[in-house]
Amino acid sequence: MTRLVAATPEHIAEAAAILKRGGLVAFPTETVYGLGANALDGQAVARVYEAKGRPAFNPLIVHVPSARDAALHVHMNEDAQILADKFWPGPLTLILPRRKKSSVSDLAAAGLDTLAVRVPLHPVAQALLKESGIPLVAPSANASGKLSPTTPAHVADSLDDRVDMILAAGACPVGLESTVLDLSVGRPVILRPGAVTTEELSEALNVDVLAGEGSGIIKSPGQLLKHYAPETRLRLNAIDLEPGEALLAFGPIRFMGIRGGGAASSLPGRMIRNLSESGDLHEAAANLFAMLKHLDRPEHKAIAVMSIPETGLGVAINDRLRRAAHSP
Ligand code: TXA
Ligand code: MG
């Protein structure tokens, strides 16, 4: 049974400790309840995807207590600063170029070079962010494909025992997810409409902000979503290596050979990464994007990827691998 507790200062302190240890805490924001985890900890982020049963790694929103904290992780351009002054804290998420030195897990951003950031208004969300001192990823606290939860009871119904603690503070005042605005492209585009409207954003920026959904310009926000793809070709479900290929392994590799002779285990270290030697899917998910990036070098003929079981988080890992393999 999940602990569902009132969001008192004591419970917020306890929740912060759970998050710092890599656990999951559902907490209220002004929009909907979020399923929070430490954005700096890849394995904690992997647990979020697993708890939600998300079939793929959609990038997550990184929640921070202030615009100054956001600037540690993304490049706040002029438009972002204007909107932050006007709408933060509040139900607006900004997509911005990610800072190279940001230590947010690659899995949180699903390998993209942008990051979604938001400063929530809800006092419990603010208190939790300040108490924990870490940025929190927080997708809506529901199982994938279900409605976003606006009460603690919705969270308990949807996630049951897949979360370590639910901080309860009644119904969410907005009740609809935040507006997602992409400021990383030439012209601002709304990827998801929300409480902050197109008109308000256009007025603040003094340009016509493109409305994604329903505008006829962009058919579905999902189509806008870029996917991470390496330059180097991927060869999936590899059982052996061709000469010149790098290896993205999963589990033990001692029996893997190189065609024409040789063992995979004797390749130079720069040509091999192992998602998880022990075959742990959380560890593999947390390592996936960073390891793909590491092996993505012109001198590699291809990246051979060992097969990942199509169970649990493996489904999401395989989804991302297939997309990465099929990109031009
Ligand atoms: O109101 C909210 O935003 C709630 C509360 C808990 O803060 N959170 C929420 O998160 O709705 P989630 O994960 O359910 O939705 C995040 C949305 C998704 O549509 C995702 O594709 C998009 O933001 N997103 C995140 N990072 C992105 C990126 N780098 N580029 C494009 N879209 C991104
Ligand atoms: Mg959601």
Side-chain angles (χ1 to χ4, degrees):
M1 266 287 288
T2 297
R3 282 185 66 207
L4 194 156
V5 297
T8 59
E10 293 73 26
H11 287 141
I12 290 172
E14 201 185 319
I18 292 172
L19 289 165
K20 284 194 273 191
R21 286 200 304 269
L24 303 186
V25 173
F27 64 94
T29 81
E30 69 280 15
T31 58
V32 299
Y33 275 75
L35 176 60
N38 182 355
L40 309 178
D41 176 347
Q43 300 218 29
V45 177
R47 267 179 225 124
V48 168
Y49 288 109
E50 186 179 52
K52 281 184 68 81
R54 271 201 184 185
F57 298 131
N58 287 333
L60 301 173
I61 300 170
V62 175
H63 296 65
V64 287
S66 73
R68 273 178 60 190
D69 293 286
L72 299 174
H73 302 287
V74 292
H75 293 282
M76 294 285 286
N77 56 32
E78 202 185 323
D79 283 353
Q81 204 54 61
I82 291 169
L83 296 179
D85 288 344
K86 200 166 165 88
F87 298 106
W88 278 355
L92 176 65
T93 295
L94 300 177
I95 311 290
L96 290 162
R98 172 183 180 155
R99 276 191 192 281
K100 279 225 164 58
K101 62 172 201 264
S102 161
S103 42
V104 165
S105 134
D106 263 335
L107 187 58
L112 299 176
D113 50 15
T114 54
L115 211 56
V117 286
R118 157 164 139 76
V119 178
L121 175 65
H122 198 290
V124 173
Q126 277 286 332
L128 186 62
L129 286 165
K130 288 188 179 128
E131 179 80 29
S132 65
I134 44 177
L136 299 177
V137 292
S140 46
N142 52 280
S144 183
K146 298 277 159 36
L147 286 180
S148 290
T150 55
T151 67
H154 290 168
V155 180
D157 287 347
S158 192
L159 290 177
D160 198 26
D161 55 358
R162 282 172 280 171
V163 47
D164 298 306
M165 182 189 259
I166 301 172
L167 282 175
C172 302
V174 175
L176 196 71
E177 300 94 332
S178 61
T179 305
V180 177
L181 181 71
D182 190 349
L183 289 179
S184 72
V185 285
R187 190 158 156 204
V189 184
I190 294 180
L191 301 185
R192 180 174 75 185
V196 177
T197 65
T198 314
E199 291 73 27
E200 286 176 297
L201 293 168
S202 297
E203 196 190 312
L205 294 180
N206 211 8
V207 292
D208 277 336
V209 167
L210 296 176
E213 209 168 35
S215 67
I217 305 169
I218 295 142
K219 288 197 201 78
S220 111
Q223 291 185 329
L224 282 166
L225 205 63
K226 287 189 250 108
H227 294 293
Y228 172 70
E231 301 282 324
T232 312
R233 188 169 59 85
L234 291 192
R235 189 166 68 81
L236 303 183
N237 302 317
I239 50 171
D240 58 6
L241 284 176
E242 288 176 25
E245 282 185 335
L247 174 63
L248 185 63
F250 179 78
I253 61 162
R254 52 178 184 277
F255 301 117
M256 190 171 223
I258 304 175
R259 288 179 209 169
S265 54
S266 62
L267 283 178
R270 64 173 190 286
M271 294 181 78
I272 305 188
R273 284 292 176 274
N274 200 326
L275 290 168
S276 170
E277 281 175 30
S278 64
D280 176 344
L281 289 168
H282 295 100
E283 192 187 1
N287 283 332
L288 178 67
F289 293 111
M291 290 187 170
L292 275 174
K293 284 180 192 179
H294 176 89
L295 295 174
D296 185 13
R297 297 185 200 196
E299 66 266 30
H300 295 157
K301 194 171 119 190
I303 303 170
V305 186
M306 285 168 72
S307 76
I308 314 283
E310 188 76 7
T311 54
L313 267 185
V315 176
I317 296 174
N318 285 323
D319 170 84
R320 276 341 211 205
L321 283 170
R322 277 192 290 268
R323 288 172 196 275
H326 283 284
S327 305

